[in-house]
Amino acid sequence: MTSHVRHITVDCADAYALGSFWSQVLGAPLAADDFPGDPEALLETPGTAILFVQGPDTKTAKNRVHLDVQPQDRTRDEEVERLLALGATLVGDHRRADGRGWATLADPEGNEFCVERSAAERAAPGGTRPPVTADDVTTAVRLAVDTLAGAPADGWDGAAGTLEWTCWETVEHLSDDLFAYAVQLGPRTPPVDGEVPYRWAPDRRGGPANAVFADRAAGPAGLLATLEASGALLASMARTTPPEVRSYHGYGISDPEGFAAMGVVETLVHTYDLAEGLGLTWAPPAALCDRALARLFPGAPAGGDRWTVLLWATGRAELPGRPRRTEWRWDGRPLEDQTASSAG
């Protein structure tokens, strides 16, 4: 048996104030029961949470443990400027003329942390592809749930964008997709010739064929809880399954990263469908879209807005000089088995 890090704990003079600063840095909420003056504040970040604990001692030396942060939708330098505006201070500038390097900042209580290059910046010099991770699944699903939580209560029986399903059915379908990708990695010997044999069937004629359905009596909050739970299952399987494991998917036998990427793409594009039907605004981080594109659509255009390119790759938008796709599929195979021509 092994252990997992549950919290990174930071001693501080004002737990709520410092937690609020880091909430803005990481775009994650403080726990709902944390308030000004509380002796502790919990920042609910994907993966490992950060716990701020108030204490009498002040910081007197350089931290021996610090956080390295990587911007998701902007460059390193843009992120440094944003964090300085939030109240951070620049402690050391290790950025190099060739674009590499990092900046060391301190939070309002003097705790050092580093700002690294974004995934896109790191990929550019040598063409190295940043992987899709379990945290990407968690991020995509949480962003989707937070957006959909603002939907009007009477909108769930309307159509989800151009889909033939209702918005309620589309969330059920998305929950079912995430569940299905997770369980493909579950058996000790995952199948490579077919799906794990759950029974999938529609709830009505023309509806999605699912194994997962939400209880209508639980309302929209219950529906979104099923989505978040299915996302957590997939994130857990992607995080704990050895990378050499392979399992069946109709678009190519895939690996844990591939199933994570499929979950990210399904979440991003179906939330787009739902946002259209529910009158919501939805624009996921460009870096998240870029990682998913690089993994599943290697033949997609390298330039342009990454969210628009992902919408084009999944048949939901046009690109200059490229008409909207009427048929599409991703390539779920590990990248060493892919060719650019198989992404269409």
Side-chain angles (χ1 to χ4, degrees):
M1 299 294 291
T2 60
S3 295
H4 294 279
V5 176
R6 183 182 179 196
H7 298 143
I8 297 172
T9 301
V10 179
D11 293 338
C12 57
D14 188 329
Y16 187 83
L18 192 59
S20 297
F21 168 80
W22 280 99
S23 175
Q24 295 179 83
V25 173
L26 301 176
L30 289 174
D33 56 354
D34 286 331
F35 299 97
D38 286 354
E40 297 182 356
L42 181 65
L43 185 60
E44 299 175 324
T45 52
T48 301
I50 305 176
L51 179 63
F52 299 91
V53 178
Q54 198 161 300
D57 298 325
T58 59
K59 182 178 180 295
T60 58
K62 183 181 183 297
N63 293 352
R64 296 191 67 183
V65 176
H66 69 268
L67 301 181
D68 291 336
V69 301
Q70 182 182 56
Q72 298 297 296
D73 57 357
R74 55 179 61 88
T75 67
R76 174 201 58 201
D77 294 348
E78 290 170 339
E79 182 69 347
V80 167
E81 293 305 313
R82 185 181 78 91
L83 300 184
L84 292 174
L86 290 177
T89 55
L90 183 64
V91 175
D93 197 335
H94 307 283
R95 291 173 285 186
R96 291 162 41 180
D98 63 2
R100 298 174 185 265
W102 68 96
T104 302
L105 276 62
D107 69 19
E109 291 203 12
N111 299 299
E112 297 91 354
F113 64 98
C114 294
V115 182
E116 299 183 345
R117 291 177 297 159
S118 68
E121 289 175 295
R122 292 176 67 88
T128 303
R129 181 187 67 86
V132 179
T133 67
D135 284 346
D136 287 335
V137 176
T138 300
T139 295
V141 172
R142 288 185 178 179
L143 288 172
V145 168
D146 290 348
T147 296
L148 296 173
D154 60 355
W156 290 99
D157 288 325
T162 60
L163 302 182
E164 296 180 355
W165 303 328
T166 68
C167 291
W168 183 283
E169 290 173 333
T170 302
V171 174
E172 287 183 324
H173 165 75
L174 176 53
S175 297
D176 188 78
D177 279 341
L178 300 174
F179 169 82
Y181 300 153
V183 299
Q184 282 302 116
L185 299 169
R188 283 178 290 178
T189 304
V192 293
D193 57 354
E195 296 170 340
V196 176
Y198 287 87
R199 185 176 70 87
W200 275 273
D203 222 14
R204 66 166 180 88
R205 189 178 193 135
N210 297 348
V212 173
F213 294 93
D215 183 358
R216 282 301 294 239
L223 175 68
L224 297 181
T226 69
L227 175 57
E228 195 159 12
S230 292
L233 287 175
L234 177 57
S236 295
M237 294 306 300
R239 180 174 288 110
T240 58
T241 303
E244 65 271 13
V245 168
R246 300 290 184 266
S247 189
Y248 175 84
H249 185 273
Y251 291 172
I253 293 173
S254 198
D255 57 354
E257 188 206 0
F259 283 106
M262 295 177 209
V264 168
V265 169
E266 291 281 2
T267 300
L268 299 186
V269 301
H270 280 315
T271 304
Y272 170 82
D273 300 327
L274 289 157
E276 280 201 320
L278 294 166
L280 302 171
T281 299
W282 173 242
L288 182 60
C289 299
D290 192 54
R291 291 192 291 278
L293 281 163
R295 178 58 176 85
L296 294 179
F297 300 95
D305 177 76
R306 307 318 288 158
W307 174 223
T308 303
V309 174
L310 182 58
L311 290 175
W312 170 82
T314 55
R316 288 167 169 82
E318 295 181 359
L319 288 177
R322 296 175 183 261
R324 181 168 176 167
R325 286 178 156 187
T326 57
E327 295 182 0
W328 64 272
R329 60 184 286 171
W330 59 55
D331 192 334
R333 296 173 297 166
L335 286 179
E336 59 265 26
D337 298 335
Q338 286 191 24
T339 62
S341 62
S342 64

